[in-house]
Amino acid sequence: MQWSTLGYPGFAGDAGQTASRTRQAFPAWGVAILLGLTGCAGAQAPTAAERQAGEAASVVLAAPAAGAAAPARAPEPAPPVVQASPPVSVPPAARQAVLDAYDAVQKRRWSDLDRLAPLAAADPVLGLYPRYWALRNQLQNRARPVPDDEVRRFLADSAGTYLNERIRSDWILASARAGNYAQALQVPAVADPFSSVRCALLLSRHQTGKHARSAEVLDVFQPNADCWDLLDQAAADHVLSRKELNGLLRDILETGKQGHADRMAGVVFDDTAVVQYAALMKNPRKWLESRGQPRAAVDFELAAIALSRLARSDDRAEAARYIQERWAGWMPKADLQWVWGQFGLVAALNVDPEAARWYRQSGFVPMTDYNHAWEVRAELRAAPIDWGRVATAIRKMSARQADEPVWRYWYGRSLAAQGNTEAARQYYESIVGDQGFYGLLAAEELGRTPALPAQPGPLDPAWVAQARANAGLQRAVALFDLGWRREAVPEWNFALRGMSDAQLRGAAEFAREEHIYDRVVNTSQLTQDVADFSQRFIAPFEGQVAAKARLIDLDPAWVYGLIRQESRFITDARSRVGASGLMQLMPATARHVARKIGMKDFKPSQVNDFDTNTILGTHYLNMVLQDLNGSELLATAGYNAGPGRPKRWRAQLLAPVEGAIFAETIPFTETRLYVKNVLSNAVYYAMMFSGQPDSLKTRLGTVSPLSGTRTARP
């Protein structure tokens, strides 16, 4: 259970938890469709007025062609022949040297690595790690020369490993930082490089005569040190236009990350303008009151930023009136529309019913994907819903964004609401193979009885044997055994590259044998042409979780759906905010529930214990459920964000809304994704447990306005 904050969509990913593996046995138990957006069949074309005003939407969605043939599936390779080999023998002294080196890294005793690395080299599984840690430390130290020859020796000794690829990334970064751009470009290519590496490579190419284009800079830029180096050089060399630089600043301001925005302002503005920027960020209204009509381009940009900051004022309505009365006649139309888009965004994130009205004043001004999404959500939350405006808001998106299952579903709903049922049906059909929240909803809109996909045929044991013999997977398992999840997960994922569906299923079964439950799920989800739900929706712990749920009349499928999202069945998972165990309990919550249910002698150290965590977690979930009128939707949101928040979001509704709309308009990104994943998980678990259909729409229900937001729950 992780309480969230407002922000851009994001996911902590595999490295977001620090946990050791847990060895407990459990019994053993399609694919998203990518469609182009061409033509306008079944869609609403821009109106004549929109075209005449130059405000036509950037994309007109097209319904997919009916009866399109599915792409041919590649045949699976024949099962491998795997020769039995004796277990790898690890000298105890060498493994101890690895452990000591890990401890030295944690304590930043870098000199110890020079002594420990040669001793650790005799470990055939993990012996490269101390040497890698020492070399990485040298590469990250800008005060030391880049040890090129030592890196080359390491690469020769580590061919085909994850550490080989990782040290190449570090070498590229170190070379570019040292100004040795030619060397950075000579490093063997890295598959799927980090944004910092992409920026370092583009900067190196630019500095060696092959100048970067503005589109390339905009594509790779993320606010990190190496990308800032690229952006500084690109700005100095006039690669980016003033409009493009202003756009980057506006986008960063939208994230609310003040440090990044201030850094970007230093790139966009000269020293005099930076002083004005700092003043307006401190008090935008006071700064605006001191200004007259803008004249120069920089004055207009500063004014637009200041006006957008008024959206964060205590009285947005009064701030909007001030803009209309004092500034609307002075500002270019596109700048003013961007300001109203910022008003719409801030209002939407505060569940303000006025959000849709402000968004409607933004016209077709280009916005971030994040802001486009919130315009649609604001229209969905309006009362009554104007489905034509929902469709228009989706058509403002880029083709890539509008093609996502979420927006295909809501576009289909808008078409259906306007009477175009055939086009709506085609949109639902285009995402019904997506095994997530909107794929399930689309199937129900089509009137289909919910059902599990066909279980693929039995997996030949040879594929599992092949996975068991894979050196990269063996190395990852050794790291999981040590509790080094941060190192183990990328090792595991690296070893999966290029695997066929059968190989991935074999690797997932290997993870099942080793009781590394999160790898079972995440590995199986990578398959393309088969969906093995016995892996994707594992139900470990031999029914113990279900038994605890039934004791207090909770739906076991819902509890399993929640655990799958919270911890992926890692019993001692620990989140970045301190939540622990299978059901990710915060310390204060665990103490509160223990007192409520009379658990004697509870100690915080017990929170990762399987029985303690599941008893406290199921009781807390039940308390939240009862506090929120028995709604699984609201209780799931409350479990993640705190039970007071869904009450406040509900209290700000203007009229009853269907549960899918409430879920989609949750203002916390993490909680919104969490709710959709937990409830779609629950549907699949329910069908697996019972063999009967289960309805996501029924689980979501309807949410009505409710006054009163107080709660006694932590």
Side-chain angles (χ1 to χ4, degrees), residues 550-568:
R550 290 191 182 98
L551 282 174
I552 53 175
D553 295 323
L554 279 185
D555 176 9
W558 181 37
V559 176
Y560 265 103
L562 184 143
I563 294 174
R564 183 180 187 271
Q565 188 62 26
E566 283 282 6
S567 65
R568 283 289 199 266

Side-chain angles (χ1 to χ4, degrees), residues 158-182:
S158 62
T161 67
Y162 166 70
L163 293 184
N164 183 286
E165 175 133 328
R166 186 60 195 266
I167 208 69
R168 279 183 278 138
S169 295
D170 295 329
W171 194 14
I172 290 168
L173 294 174
S175 299
R177 290 166 184 171
N180 191 349
Y181 303 115

